[in-house]
């Protein structure tokens, strides 16, 4: 980080944190149902911790495949998640504050805020290593604000269910991140950055993040399902597991088929094994049978693996968009597949043509609003980040922990 910008990060963080403390002091209250608290807390808290693992550990370690950017991947992921979750709670509670003068807090509101934060973490993956902490804070604050606005729009205008609206985080986050990457494109990035490399150790840490995401994704998808109907929550968890299992096997097979040497590609096993969980999360409102979930996992893995193998190079050449973590293949394409599956299954299950046509129109409008808002705010955020005030890392400073962290065992001047 540039010497004259060292004071900007702590100043911004302290300003934001003090502001949040004051807002919470005057406008928030913990909502407690004393009769149900003791019964429900243990189960709810375990699911809440699962989501914590996905957001903090899974996303943090997933980006450690860069050999010289592991500290920044994990550290900045935690920094942004801790900050922006507080902001998301405020944004999601604005309607409550408007009507009753206070923001009601419970585990569910914190989980919803963390899932909104996950959309920002997905966006950050597209520009991983090419931004500094100041920029990441701005990205996360603006992206989460836009995502909460998107949820409000589709729920208010199109009557989309809250669960369906929040599961659009994959499509929204990947689209936002791709536009950021396009606007922040550096000419030097047409060739691989000097330090944009991986090795076996870094890849192993990244694989650990993928495994944790794979293990806890059923909780991530099912935690907001209506608990008054235990069968629905159980069905969501089982469907997610089956879809993940199929996507893991299919991603491995597709990886070998796409390889000229007939070998597994580490990137496929770190990213594409999660495609089934993403796709089923978007479509699970309409998935009823195990074979449907397994089919979704199969198609998601194929789409993700093929996109990983062929799209990234063409995107760089045609659109000048370098997607560091390949969020398009990991979240964007499976998310769009899940949207399409939801559309097809809902039309199939409709009783008459009028209902089917009405749902199709509203469903298409939902995607249109989501893509329009994510792409436009991604462009605007990218333009803001290009201002010299943020001092973006250039050339040799990209993908390097030493630009931001102290390592006493290395040479002086770090």
């Amino acid at each position: 980080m540039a010497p004259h910008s060292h004071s900007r990060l702590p100043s911004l963080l302290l300003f934001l944190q003090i502001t949040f403390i004051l807002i919470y002091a005057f406008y928030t209250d913990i909502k407690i149902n004393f009769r149900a608290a003791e019964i429900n807390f243990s189960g709810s808290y375990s699911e809440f911790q699962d989501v914590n693992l996905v957001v903090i550990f899974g996303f943090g370690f997933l980006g450690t495949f860069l050999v010289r950017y592991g500290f920044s991947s994990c550290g900045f992921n935690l920094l942004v998640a801790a900050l922006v979750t507080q902001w998301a709670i405020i944004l999601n509670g604005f309607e409550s504050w408007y009507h009753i003068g206070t923001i009601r807090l419970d585990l569910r509101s914190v989980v919803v805020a963390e899932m909104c934060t996950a959309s920002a973490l997905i966006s950050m993956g597209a520009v991983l290593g090419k931004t500094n902490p100041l920029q990441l804070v701005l990205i996360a604050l603006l992206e989460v604000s836009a995502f909460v606005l998107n949820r409000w729009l589709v729920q208010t205008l199109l009557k989309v269910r809250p669960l369906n609206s929040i599961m659009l985080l994959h499509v929204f986050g990947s689209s936002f991140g791709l536009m950021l990457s396009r606007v922040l494109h550096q000419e030097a990035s047409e060739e691989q950055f000097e330090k944009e490399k991986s090795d076996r150790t870094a890849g192993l840490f990244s694989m650990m993040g993928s495994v944790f995401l794979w293990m806890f994704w059923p909780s991530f998808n099912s935690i907001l399902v209506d608990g008054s109907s235990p069968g629905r929550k159980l069905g969501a968890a089982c469907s997610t597991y089956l879809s993940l299992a199929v996507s893991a096997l299919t991603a491995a097979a597709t990886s070998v088929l796409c390889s000229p040497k007939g070998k597994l590609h580490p990137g496929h096993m770190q990213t594409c094994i999660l495609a089934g969980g993403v796709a089923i999360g978007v479509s699970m409102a309409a998935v009823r049978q195990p074979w449907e979930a397994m089919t979704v996992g199969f198609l998601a893995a194929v789409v993700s693996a093929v996109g990983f193998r062929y799209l990234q190079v063409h995107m760089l050449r045609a659109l000048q968009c370098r997607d560091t973590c390949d969020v398009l293949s990991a979240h964007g394409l499976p998310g769009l597949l899940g949207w399409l599956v939801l559309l097809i299954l809902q039309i199939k299950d409709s009783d008459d043509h009028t209902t089917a046509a009405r749902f199709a129109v509203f469903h298409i409008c939902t995607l249109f609003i989501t893509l329009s808002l994510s792409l436009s705010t991604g462009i605007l955020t990218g333009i803001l980040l290009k201002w010299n005030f943020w001092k973006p890392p250039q050339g040799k400073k990209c993908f390097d922990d030493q630009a931001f962290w102290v390592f006493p065992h290395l040479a002086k001047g770090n």
Side-chain angles (χ1 to χ4, degrees):
M1 200 182 300
H4 55 280
S5 67
H6 282 173
S7 62
R8 295 178 184 176
L9 179 62
S11 299
L12 177 62
L13 293 180
L14 290 175
F15 169 76
L16 290 172
Q17 189 57 79
I18 292 171
T19 302
F20 291 166
I21 289 173
L22 292 175
I23 293 174
Y24 277 71
F26 291 102
Y27 299 108
T28 62
D29 183 28
I30 296 179
K31 180 181 179 181
I32 301 177
N33 183 342
F34 290 101
R35 289 183 299 177
E38 292 298 326
I39 298 174
N40 295 331
F41 177 77
S42 58
S44 300
Y45 187 74
S46 63
E47 290 182 310
F48 164 70
Q49 285 290 65
D50 290 350
V51 174
N52 255 338
L53 276 168
V54 167
V55 172
I56 304 300
F57 191 101
F59 280 112
F61 274 84
L62 188 63
T64 57
F65 62 91
L66 296 166
V67 66
R68 300 189 63 171
Y69 205 71
F71 278 88
S72 298
S73 176
C74 290
F76 296 159
N77 183 83
L78 174 61
L79 172 71
V80 168
L83 175 71
V84 180
T85 298
Q86 299 175 60
W87 176 233
I89 290 173
I90 295 171
L91 293 176
N92 288 323
F94 183 80
E95 187 173 358
S96 172
W97 170 81
Y98 180 80
H99 290 293
I100 63 176
T102 187
I103 299 172
R104 307 304 296 270
L105 285 179
D106 55 18
L107 278 181
R108 184 180 180 86
S109 65
V110 177
V111 167
V112 170
E114 283 202 304
M115 297 182 81
C116 293
T117 299
S119 68
L121 301 181
I122 292 170
S123 302
M124 286 165 46
V127 292
L128 186 73
K130 298 175 286 187
T131 48
N132 61 37
L134 275 171
Q135 291 177 303
L136 292 179
V137 169
L138 178 65
I139 289 170
L141 290 173
L142 294 179
E143 202 272 354
V144 167
S145 301
F147 181 66
V148 172
L149 174 61
N150 185 77
R151 289 189 64 221
W152 180 82
L153 286 175
V154 299
Q155 288 181 36
T156 303
L157 300 179
L158 304 176
K159 307 303 179 183
V160 175
R161 295 175 181 176
L163 178 60
N164 292 348
S165 69
I166 201 167
M167 283 303 170
L168 290 170
L169 66 93
H170 304 285
V171 176
F172 193 98
S174 59
S175 303
F176 187 99
L178 289 174
M179 283 300 99
L180 274 181
S181 180
R182 172 64 185 88
V183 176
L184 296 178
H185 175 77
Q186 300 178 21
E187 293 300 326
S189 66
E190 294 190 11
E191 298 294 334
Q192 190 175 44
F193 281 96
E194 177 185 357
K195 298 171 183 176
E196 191 182 359
K197 300 175 182 178
S198 184
D199 63 8
R200 293 183 64 181
T201 302
L204 182 60
F205 275 103
S206 179
M207 189 64 198
M208 182 170 60
S210 298
V211 169
F212 267 80
L213 285 171
W214 195 94
M215 290 170 59
F216 292 101
W217 210 268
S219 293
F220 188 83
N221 278 354
S222 64
I223 189 170
L224 295 180
V225 175
D226 185 10
S228 62
S229 177
R232 289 190 59 199
K233 186 179 283 286
L234 175 63
C238 290
S239 295
T240 301
Y241 178 82
L242 290 173
S243 185
L244 284 166
V246 172
S247 69
L249 296 177
T250 307
T254 308
S255 177
V256 173
L257 291 174
C258 290
S259 171
K261 297 182 180 180
K263 296 182 180 181
L264 288 168
H265 191 294
H268 290 158
M269 302 310 294
Q270 293 164 7
T271 303
C272 303
I273 62 172
L274 304 171
V278 172
I280 200 67
V282 179
S283 61
M284 65 182 176
V287 172
R288 296 288 182 265
Q289 300 298 326
W291 70 267
E292 294 175 341
M294 297 170 78
T295 303
V296 170
F298 178 86
L299 295 175
V302 172
V303 168
S304 180
V306 172
F308 186 97
R309 176 66 177 82
Y310 298 106
L311 278 185
Q312 195 170 36
V313 175
H314 295 296
M315 286 179 57
L316 178 59
R317 292 175 180 172
L319 304 177
Q320 294 186 325
C321 176
R322 191 175 194 89
D323 182 2
T324 307
C325 286
D326 204 17
V327 298
L328 175 63
S329 298
H331 298 273
L333 295 179
L336 290 173
L337 174 67
W339 173 88
L340 181 61
V341 169
L342 180 61
L343 173 63
I344 293 173
L345 292 181
Q346 289 280 30
I347 291 176
K348 180 179 74 70
D349 294 338
S350 298
D351 297 329
D352 57 80
H353 296 298
T354 303
T355 303
R358 181 182 176 86
F359 175 80
V361 170
F362 275 61
H363 197 55
I364 293 171
C365 289
T366 298
L367 181 65
F368 177 77
I369 291 174
T370 300
L371 289 177
S372 299
L373 189 57
S374 61
L375 294 174
S376 59
T377 52
I379 292 172
L380 292 175
T381 303
I383 293 173
L384 288 176
L385 293 178
K386 296 191 77 170
W387 289 1
N388 288 333
F389 173 82
W390 304 103
K391 299 300 177 183
Q394 299 291 327
K396 294 182 179 180
K397 295 293 184 180
C398 292
F399 305 99
D400 193 351
D401 284 331
Q402 289 181 246
F404 311 106
W405 299 81
V406 175
F407 297 105
H409 62 286
L410 298 179
K412 294 183 179 179
N414 292 333

